[in-house]
Amino acid sequence: MIKKIDILCAMRDAATAQALRRELDDGESCSIRVAVNGEAALDSAWRFAPDLLVADAVLPRLDGLAVVDRLRAALGERAPRVIGGAATPMAEAEFMRRGAVCVLGVPWNREKLLEALRREMVAMDTHVDWEAAQSDYARARELLREIGMRESLHGYDYLAWAAALSCASEARLFAISERLYRPIAQRMNTTPQNVERLIRHAIESTVDAEGPDSIYAFFGNTIDPTRGKPTNAQMIAMLAQRLRVA
C-alpha cells in the first residue's frame, strides 16, 4: 500500500482547517491534524511526525516560522514539507528562504490551499527513495540472473528497479506508467515509453531463450504458463513477491 500522508495544519482559521478535513481526511490515504498555536503544533509534530505542515506565519505562543525552524533543526531532511501562509511580503520571503514548497496569502483561500495540498500529496505519492530501494534492486538483479536474463539487455536494469519499487509499494502496480515507468525514466534519462518497451523486450527475449514453463516454475507457477509470455506487470509483480518472501 502507498504510505498514508499525515498533514499538520497550524493555523488560526479553524473553519478552513475543518473544511480541509472534510475534503481530504479519509483516514486511509490522508490524515489531517489541527493545532491552534505554535506550541501545540510542535507537540503534535514530535508525536506524529507529519509529512506536510501547513503553517500560518503568525500564530499564538510560537509563530509558524519558528515552528519550521525548530523542526528543521531537530529533524533535518526528515522535517515535513511546508506550505506557508503569509500576510506580508516579508513573511512570504522568510518561508521561501526556509524551503517552503508553496506560500499562499492569508486569509487562506480554501480552493487554492486544497489545490496546493493535492499537488503536494501527488508529489509525495510518486516520490521514490532510491537509496532505500537499492538493496531490493540488487536482489532483483540476482533473481533475474537466476531465471537466465542477460545483463546486457537494457530492460534488465529497468525491470530490477521496477520490482524493487513495487516491493516497497504494491500500489505502484495499479498505476504502472506514472508510478513505475515515469520515475525510472527520469532516473535513467529516457522516456516512460522506452522503459516499457525495453522491459517487454527483456522479458520476451528471456522467455524465448528459457521457455515460459521454466520462468513460471521459478516463481512457483503463480500464473498458468499455458497463457504464454508474462506481461510486464505480471513479471514485475512476480519479482516483487519473491523479494517480499525472500
Side-chain angles (χ1 to χ4, degrees):
M1 293 292 292
I2 290 287
K3 176 187 181 296
K4 181 174 73 173
I5 296 172
D6 290 311
I7 300 172
L8 172 60
C9 293
M11 55 200 310
R12 294 167 295 161
D13 187 344
T16 294
Q18 293 306 320
L20 296 178
R21 270 183 165 165
R22 289 192 299 271
E23 190 75 22
L24 298 176
D25 192 339
D26 59 9
E28 295 181 2
S29 62
C30 172
S31 177
I32 296 178
R33 295 181 175 85
V34 179
V36 296
N37 62 66
E39 289 182 356
L42 273 182
D43 181 64
S44 181
W46 301 140
R47 287 186 291 139
F48 300 110
D51 302 293
L52 183 60
L53 170 67
V54 179
D56 276 331
V58 178
L59 288 169
R61 300 187 186 176
L62 189 68
D63 67 54
L65 294 168
V67 171
V68 173
D69 286 342
R70 295 195 186 185
L71 291 175
R72 292 282 167 83
L75 302 176
E77 293 184 357
R78 293 182 293 111
R81 298 158 76 99
V82 176
I83 294 177
T88 68
M90 182 178 294
E92 179 180 359
E94 288 300 314
F95 268 122
M96 295 305 294
R97 188 171 66 82
R98 287 163 171 79
V101 296
C102 176
V103 183
L104 300 175
V106 173
W108 296 97
N109 179 300
R110 295 184 190 180
E111 291 306 313
K112 288 184 178 180
L113 181 52
L114 276 169
E115 181 183 349
L117 283 168
R118 289 192 174 107
R119 183 172 61 247
E120 291 308 312
M121 289 168 65
V122 168
M124 287 184 282
D125 190 37
T126 56
H127 171 72
V128 174
D129 187 339
W130 296 102
E131 184 175 351
Q134 187 69 45
S135 61
D136 283 335
Y137 161 73
R139 291 164 56 214
R141 285 178 59 88
E142 292 176 5
L143 290 176
L144 292 175
R145 278 194 293 269
E146 289 183 41
I147 65 174
M149 184 172 288
R150 303 193 314 274
E151 293 186 50
S152 59
L153 294 167
H154 289 296
Y156 186 99
D157 264 351
Y158 298 160
L159 185 52
W161 277 121
L165 301 187
S166 299
C167 179
S169 175
E170 187 177 2
R172 290 186 185 274
L173 287 166
F174 298 104
I176 194 167
S177 293
E178 284 299 313
R179 295 181 177 178
L180 285 178
Y181 298 155
R182 186 171 299 280
I184 292 170
Q186 290 172 346
R187 180 176 176 84
M188 301 297 187
N189 196 30
T190 185
T191 66
Q193 293 79 12
N194 206 36
V195 171
E196 179 180 21
R197 180 178 63 82
L198 290 173
I199 287 177
R200 162 76 0 221
H201 174 69
I203 293 170
E204 291 182 348
S205 296
T206 304
V207 172
D208 287 343
E210 304 295 328
D213 290 349
S214 175
I215 301 299
Y216 285 119
F218 179 84
F219 292 107
N221 290 313
T222 54
I223 300 175
D224 184 356
T226 62
R227 296 180 62 181
K229 298 171 183 176
T231 65
N232 287 15
Q234 287 171 338
M235 179 64 94
I236 293 166
M238 289 189 294
L239 284 166
Q241 179 63 25
R242 279 293 298 266
L243 292 175
R244 292 189 195 99
V245 301

